[in-house]
Amino acid sequence: MKMGTGESITDYFTRSIQHPSLDAMFTFASYIVSVEFYTAFLPLLFWSGHEWLARQMTLLMAICIYAGNSIKDLVSAPRPPSPPVRKFTPTSIEKESSLEYGLPSTHTINTISLSVYLFRFLVMRADGLQASMLWPSGLLLLTATILVIYGRMYLGMHSPVDIIAGIQIGITLVVFWCYVEDYIDFFIMEGKSVLFFWTIMAVLLLAAYPTPKKPTPSFEYHTAFNGVVLGMVWGMRLKNCRHLQDAEALPILHSWSASIALLMKRLLVGLPVVAMAKLTSKYLALRSITWISIFVGLPIRSSTYLPELNGPRALKTKESDPISEDEVLDNYQRSFWPRFYHLGFMEPLDVDTGVRLLQYAVLSFSVVEVCYLFQLLKI
């Protein structure tokens, strides 16, 4: 097998060992550090009684996502060209991820940061963990990290430069977080005006996000996890104000069977509540943000949830009803604050951003609050 024109040694080596089983393995490895995976994984940490660890990993993940994705969109460096590199995207998650820019590798950032932090937690804070379990756990984390990092090159999603940049940023972020974790956690649990501060900061982070050369899903990933952190902070703060206890830790070190049975009970109670909260919040947020925007007189659009809002059809009531520019202007002039439309500097606001932020905030809030049901049901 000869090396193709413009193909690096790494690309050639990756192409020479391609196999369907490796395709499946590296695709799965890339999924375990995705936003979707951690959105589903974090409830397990909360509901297993490890709320301190869950808080820290949620905040660290949010920092990694914001730093990595904002640098991606700021630099706007393309992914490796295909061909000569084979880009393997068998799942919808990988297809959507391939629309992002390449530098740095956010999968690498997330994997390095969270693996190092989790191993540090096991060494310093995991009470009762035997040394015989510590090193196998570290070896497992190291193996997963290597699989994810190399898998990004194997799947054709990143170049070695992207990976090296991701490693450096990941190490920097996890070292920084280890220094400030206790201060941030104390502020969330005991500080003053926490809810007001964090709500304002969530909005400012959205506003400060850099604009890429072309639209990518990176901003959507940040918005979702920004909402997760916002909901978690609200939930933990209100829970602390009501002096509620954390969910009882699972007796993993004493009985695996009892731990699994207890966790299954909590999942059977918690998952339907969280699913209902997410669906309900999406509907209510979509309707409320849309109508508030129309009432205030802000031009709006929707890239995903309500595409019929785009362009001059922003205020139409039926899909088949055409609406002219004059009718749009007339509707805005009859709104409560029509001056926003006439100032001319307002571009249409994407209501999807607000909907996604509130949807994931309610989802995270419900994950924290459902622990109250565990206490009532004594599980």
Side-chain angles (χ1 to χ4, degrees), residues 65 206 218-228 352-358 360:
I65 290 176
L206 294 176
S218 299
F219 179 68
E220 297 177 5
Y221 298 153
H222 158 65
T223 303
F225 226 82
N226 191 2
V228 169
D352 291 5
T353 300
V355 172
R356 188 174 290 108
L357 180 72
L358 291 178
Y360 280 90

Side-chain angles (χ1 to χ4, degrees), residues 298-313:
L298 298 176
I300 58 176
R301 62 183 177 87
S302 175
S303 55
T304 304
Y305 298 129
L306 285 177
E308 62 268 20
L309 288 177
N310 297 336
R313 308 175 72 85

Side-chain angles (χ1 to χ4, degrees), residues 27-34 37-38 107 111 114 144-145 147-148:
T27 299
F28 175 77
S30 66
Y31 175 73
I32 64 175
V33 289
S34 64
F37 173 81
Y38 279 107
H107 280 73
T111 306
L114 297 177
T145 300
L147 288 177
V148 171

